[in-house]
PDB file of all heavy atoms in Angstrom:
ATOM      1  N   PRO B 267     -42.497 -64.234 124.219  1.00 97.00           N
ATOM      2  CA  PRO B 267     -42.875 -63.693 125.532  1.00 97.00           C
ATOM      3  C   PRO B 267     -44.165 -62.893 125.485  1.00 97.00           C
ATOM      4  O   PRO B 267     -44.501 -62.295 124.455  1.00 97.00           O
ATOM      5  CB  PRO B 267     -41.684 -62.795 125.910  1.00 97.00           C
ATOM      6  CG  PRO B 267     -40.991 -62.499 124.630  1.00 97.00           C
ATOM      7  CD  PRO B 267     -41.280 -63.619 123.683  1.00 97.00           C
ATOM      8  N   ALA B 268     -44.859 -62.907 126.607  1.00 95.00           N
ATOM      9  CA  ALA B 268     -46.085 -62.115 126.722  1.00 95.00           C
ATOM     10  C   ALA B 268     -45.751 -60.638 126.567  1.00 95.00           C
ATOM     11  O   ALA B 268     -44.663 -60.191 126.942  1.00 95.00           O
ATOM     12  CB  ALA B 268     -46.734 -62.367 128.086  1.00 95.00           C
ATOM     13  N   GLY B 269     -46.667 -59.901 126.013  1.00 95.00           N
ATOM     14  CA  GLY B 269     -46.476 -58.455 125.876  1.00 95.00           C
ATOM     15  C   GLY B 269     -45.655 -58.068 124.662  1.00 95.00           C
ATOM     16  O   GLY B 269     -45.228 -56.923 124.525  1.00 95.00           O
ATOM     17  N   SER B 270     -45.400 -59.027 123.773  1.00 97.00           N
ATOM     18  CA  SER B 270     -44.563 -58.719 122.602  1.00 97.00           C
ATOM     19  C   SER B 270     -45.386 -58.618 121.319  1.00 97.00           C
ATOM     20  O   SER B 270     -44.827 -58.530 120.231  1.00 97.00           O
ATOM     21  CB  SER B 270     -43.487 -59.789 122.442  1.00 97.00           C
ATOM     22  OG  SER B 270     -44.081 -61.050 122.136  1.00 97.00           O
ATOM     23  N   GLU B 271     -46.711 -58.617 121.489  1.00 94.00           N
ATOM     24  CA  GLU B 271     -47.588 -58.702 120.311  1.00 94.00           C
ATOM     25  C   GLU B 271     -47.382 -57.545 119.337  1.00 94.00           C
ATOM     26  O   GLU B 271     -47.504 -57.719 118.126  1.00 94.00           O
ATOM     27  CB  GLU B 271     -49.063 -58.733 120.746  1.00 94.00           C
ATOM     28  CG  GLU B 271     -49.468 -59.963 121.557  1.00 94.00           C
ATOM     29  CD  GLU B 271     -48.964 -59.909 123.004  1.00 94.00           C
ATOM     30  OE1 GLU B 271     -48.509 -58.828 123.446  1.00 94.00           O
ATOM     31  OE2 GLU B 271     -49.007 -60.955 123.681  1.00 94.00           O
ATOM     32  N   HIS B 272     -47.074 -56.373 119.864  1.00 95.00           N
ATOM     33  CA  HIS B 272     -47.004 -55.180 119.013  1.00 95.00           C
ATOM     34  C   HIS B 272     -45.624 -54.951 118.408  1.00 95.00           C
ATOM     35  O   HIS B 272     -45.418 -53.997 117.677  1.00 95.00           O
ATOM     36  CB  HIS B 272     -47.374 -53.954 119.864  1.00 95.00           C
ATOM     37  CG  HIS B 272     -46.445 -53.790 121.048  1.00 95.00           C
ATOM     38  ND1 HIS B 272     -46.469 -54.653 122.123  1.00 95.00           N
ATOM     39  CD2 HIS B 272     -45.453 -52.905 121.272  1.00 95.00           C
ATOM     40  CE1 HIS B 272     -45.536 -54.272 122.993  1.00 95.00           C
ATOM     41  NE2 HIS B 272     -44.899 -53.236 122.501  1.00 95.00           N
ATOM     42  N   LEU B 273     -44.678 -55.809 118.722  1.00 96.00           N
ATOM     43  CA  LEU B 273     -43.294 -55.534 118.317  1.00 96.00           C
ATOM     44  C   LEU B 273     -43.017 -55.967 116.877  1.00 96.00           C
ATOM     45  O   LEU B 273     -43.604 -56.913 116.361  1.00 96.00           O
ATOM     46  CB  LEU B 273     -42.322 -56.258 119.251  1.00 96.00           C
ATOM     47  CG  LEU B 273     -42.384 -55.856 120.731  1.00 96.00           C
ATOM     48  CD1 LEU B 273     -41.342 -56.634 121.527  1.00 96.00           C
ATOM     49  CD2 LEU B 273     -42.170 -54.355 120.900  1.00 96.00           C
ATOM     50  N   SER B 274     -42.086 -55.257 116.258  1.00 95.00           N
ATOM     51  CA  SER B 274     -41.643 -55.614 114.912  1.00 95.00           C
ATOM     52  C   SER B 274     -40.677 -56.790 115.003  1.00 95.00           C
ATOM     53  O   SER B 274     -40.187 -57.135 116.082  1.00 95.00           O
ATOM     54  CB  SER B 274     -40.916 -54.427 114.282  1.00 95.00           C
ATOM     55  OG  SER B 274     -39.701 -54.196 114.981  1.00 95.00           O
ATOM     56  N   ALA B 275     -40.389 -57.391 113.845  1.00 93.00           N
ATOM     57  CA  ALA B 275     -39.466 -58.528 113.823  1.00 93.00           C
ATOM     58  C   ALA B 275     -38.107 -58.114 114.394  1.00 93.00           C
ATOM     59  O   ALA B 275     -37.461 -58.872 115.117  1.00 93.00           O
ATOM     60  CB  ALA B 275     -39.323 -59.071 112.407  1.00 93.00           C
ATOM     61  N   ARG B 276     -37.677 -56.910 114.072  1.00 94.00           N
ATOM     62  CA  ARG B 276     -36.384 -56.439 114.577  1.00 94.00           C
ATOM     63  C   ARG B 276     -36.404 -56.324 116.113  1.00 94.00           C
ATOM     64  O   ARG B 276     -35.468 -56.725 116.791  1.00 94.00           O
ATOM     65  CB  ARG B 276     -36.050 -55.083 113.953  1.00 94.00           C
ATOM     66  CG  ARG B 276     -34.747 -54.478 114.441  1.00 94.00           C
ATOM     67  CD  ARG B 276     -34.600 -53.067 113.896  1.00 94.00           C
ATOM     68  NE  ARG B 276     -34.316 -53.083 112.466  1.00 94.00           N
ATOM     69  CZ  ARG B 276     -33.085 -52.915 111.963  1.00 94.00           C
ATOM     70  NH1 ARG B 276     -32.075 -52.710 112.777  1.00 94.00           N
ATOM     71  NH2 ARG B 276     -32.896 -52.941 110.675  1.00 94.00           N
ATOM     72  N   GLN B 277     -37.505 -55.790 116.634  1.00 96.00           N
ATOM     73  CA  GLN B 277     -37.616 -55.670 118.095  1.00 96.00           C
ATOM     74  C   GLN B 277     -37.739 -57.039 118.744  1.00 96.00           C
ATOM     75  O   GLN B 277     -37.181 -57.277 119.816  1.00 96.00           O
ATOM     76  CB  GLN B 277     -38.831 -54.799 118.454  1.00 96.00           C
ATOM     77  CG  GLN B 277     -38.654 -53.341 118.085  1.00 96.00           C
ATOM     78  CD  GLN B 277     -39.966 -52.564 118.190  1.00 96.00           C
ATOM     79  OE1 GLN B 277     -41.020 -53.043 117.757  1.00 96.00           O
ATOM     80  NE2 GLN B 277     -39.889 -51.362 118.755  1.00 96.00           N
ATOM     81  N   LEU B 278     -38.453 -57.934 118.079  1.00 97.00           N
ATOM     82  CA  LEU B 278     -38.582 -59.299 118.616  1.00 97.00           C
ATOM     83  C   LEU B 278     -37.219 -59.973 118.705  1.00 97.00           C
ATOM     84  O   LEU B 278     -36.911 -60.654 119.688  1.00 97.00           O
ATOM     85  CB  LEU B 278     -39.516 -60.134 117.728  1.00 97.00           C
ATOM     86  CG  LEU B 278     -41.014 -59.837 117.832  1.00 97.00           C
ATOM     87  CD1 LEU B 278     -41.766 -60.608 116.755  1.00 97.00           C
ATOM     88  CD2 LEU B 278     -41.548 -60.179 119.218  1.00 97.00           C
TER      89      LEU B 278
END
Side-chain angles (χ1 to χ4, degrees):
Chain B
S270 65
E271 296 75 12
H272 59 289
L273 299 181
S274 67
R276 178 187 288 259
Q277 291 168 316
L278 286 172

